[in-house]
Structures are given as structure tokens and as C-alpha cells.
Amino acid sequence: MSKYLDIATTSSVAAAQDHYGSAEQWARIAARGSADETPASQRLGPAEAAFIRERDGFYLASISETGWPYVQYRGGPAGFLTTLDPTLLGFADFRGNRQYITTGNVQVNDRVSLFLMDYAHQRRLKIFARMRIIDAADDPLLAKRLTMPDYPARVERLVLIAVEAFDWNCPQHITPRFTPAELKRWQME
């Protein structure tokens, strides 16, 4: 079984799979295993790095100390979320509505989940990770590396995301949606 599914498939998930009739399907997949079950199999490769670089936003989920999930959308120019190495992502955290819910949540529980969507091509990359927040003033070299020089937003924090596992999810039920830039590009082709 992939590390992503290993993390996601808890005993209650396995019970639900059994109840709804998909347990045998997932048992076959687990028995087959992966061609590469080493930790390196969960390193982001060129396909994942390119996909991440092309995104102008993603969904980020964290868990509060009371156990409630919190999901927010993080956006910026394409490439603001970057692959620093095959197991580490980073981005400059721009000033927003100043609620700091995710920032507070990861101080207690650093586990997060990211959903990166390409609606136009019906692709989705899911990532389990651990998140660390650094004040931008505390690491000027990292701040320079993560800051998008032509983007006018104010950088408050730097975020490092250590990838634990990822999975490309099936395109079924992803409604194609297009940004104005994508529409313009396709009209010119």
C-alpha cells in the first residue's frame, strides 16, 4: 500500500470500506504493493514539482487543539508554493485577514493536508505533511528565496512543509473550470 493510503486508512476507514463493499478492492491494491515502497517513493519528482510550480493556489487543512478541522485557501502568483527539495515545500505567507487560525493550529499539531487542484485538466495532488512557520525577519535568506519580487503582498511569515506522503487522485467528478488566462491562452491556440 502507498504511504499516503497507509496514513489515510485508519481502522474506522477500513470498517467503512468493509461496510460499503470496497475492502476487497483496497486489499488487492495493498497486496500488490508498489514497485518502490522505500521512503524515496514518496519524494516529489519532476512531475509533482512542475504541477506545484504551475498552481496559483491550494487548499490547506489543519486541526485545532479542540479537534476541529480548518480548511483555507492559500493563493498567490503561480509558483508561490515552491519545491525546495524532493521532500520540502515552502511559501511566503502573505498578510491576510489576520485571523491566524492555521498559524495557531500548527503550533499545537503540525500535521496538515494540502489539496492542489488543476480544474482545467481535471488533476488533483493530495499531500500529507508537517508544517513549520518562521517569522520572515528571523531568516532573511529563506525569505529572499521564497518571496516573489514582483508580487505586492506583504510577507509576514515563511512556511516550510515537510512532505510525509502524496497521492495523485482520480479525475472523476472534477468539474473543468478555467481561469481567464487559461481561456485566453486556449483561444490563441
Side-chain angles (χ1 to χ4, degrees), residues 24-45:
E24 287 183 27
Q25 168 192 342
W26 292 110
R28 283 192 304 276
I29 290 169
R32 258 194 336 248
S34 167
D36 181 5
E37 289 295 329
T38 67
S41 70
Q42 284 301 309
R43 291 176 173 269
L44 300 169

Side-chain angles (χ1 to χ4, degrees), residues 58-104:
F58 61 95
Y59 301 94
L60 173 64
S62 62
I63 301 292
S64 75
E65 57 202 287
T66 58
W68 285 99
Y70 178 72
V71 179
Q72 70 175 170
Y73 178 81
R74 294 290 179 131
F80 84 99
L81 176 64
T82 188
T83 305
L84 297 170
D85 72 36
T87 61
L88 187 65
L89 303 174
F91 68 93
D93 194 15
F94 309 126
R95 184 175 185 169
N97 62 16
R98 303 183 59 131
Q99 291 180 330
Y100 303 111
I101 296 171
T102 299
T103 301

Side-chain angles (χ1 to χ4, degrees), residues 2-184:
S2 76
K3 185 173 179 187
Y4 190 91
L5 289 175
D6 189 44
I7 291 171
T9 307
T10 63
S11 58
S12 60
V13 170
Q17 291 170 346
D18 187 49
H19 177 78
Y20 291 105
S22 69
E24 287 183 27
Q25 168 192 342
W26 292 110
R28 283 192 304 276
I29 290 169
R32 258 194 336 248
S34 167
D36 181 5
E37 289 295 329
T38 67
S41 70
Q42 284 301 309
R43 291 176 173 269
L44 300 169
E48 289 81 22
F51 184 81
I52 291 165
R53 184 175 44 253
E54 294 165 0
R55 305 284 59 84
D56 63 0
F58 61 95
Y59 301 94
L60 173 64
S62 62
I63 301 292
S64 75
E65 57 202 287
T66 58
W68 285 99
Y70 178 72
V71 179
Q72 70 175 170
Y73 178 81
R74 294 290 179 131
F80 84 99
L81 176 64
T82 188
T83 305
L84 297 170
D85 72 36
T87 61
L88 187 65
L89 303 174
F91 68 93
D93 194 15
F94 309 126
R95 184 175 185 169
N97 62 16
R98 303 183 59 131
Q99 291 180 330
Y100 303 111
I101 296 171
T102 299
T103 301
N105 286 349
V106 300
Q107 301 307 312
V108 176
N109 183 345
D110 66 349
R111 291 180 177 141
V112 296
S113 181
L114 285 70
F115 256 55
L116 288 83
M117 300 294 299
D118 177 353
Y119 291 103
H121 298 100
Q122 297 175 286
R123 297 185 302 162
R124 168 176 44 212
L125 180 62
K126 302 180 300 186
I127 300 172
F128 283 137
R130 294 185 180 270
M131 186 169 142
R132 184 165 62 107
I133 297 171
I134 303 164
D135 286 336
D138 291 345
D139 194 335
L141 292 176
L142 182 61
K144 185 175 181 177
R145 188 171 178 192
L146 295 178
T147 299
M148 308 281 299
D150 296 332
Y151 193 64
R154 179 177 167 209
V155 175
E156 288 189 339
R157 287 162 303 285
L158 310 171
V159 178
L160 295 177
I161 300 169
V163 176
E164 295 280 331
F166 67 89
D167 185 44
W168 287 96
N169 204 209
C170 88
Q172 187 178 4
H173 307 299
I174 298 175
T175 302
R177 292 188 170 91
F178 305 93
T179 66
E182 289 166 334
L183 287 173
K184 186 175 182 179

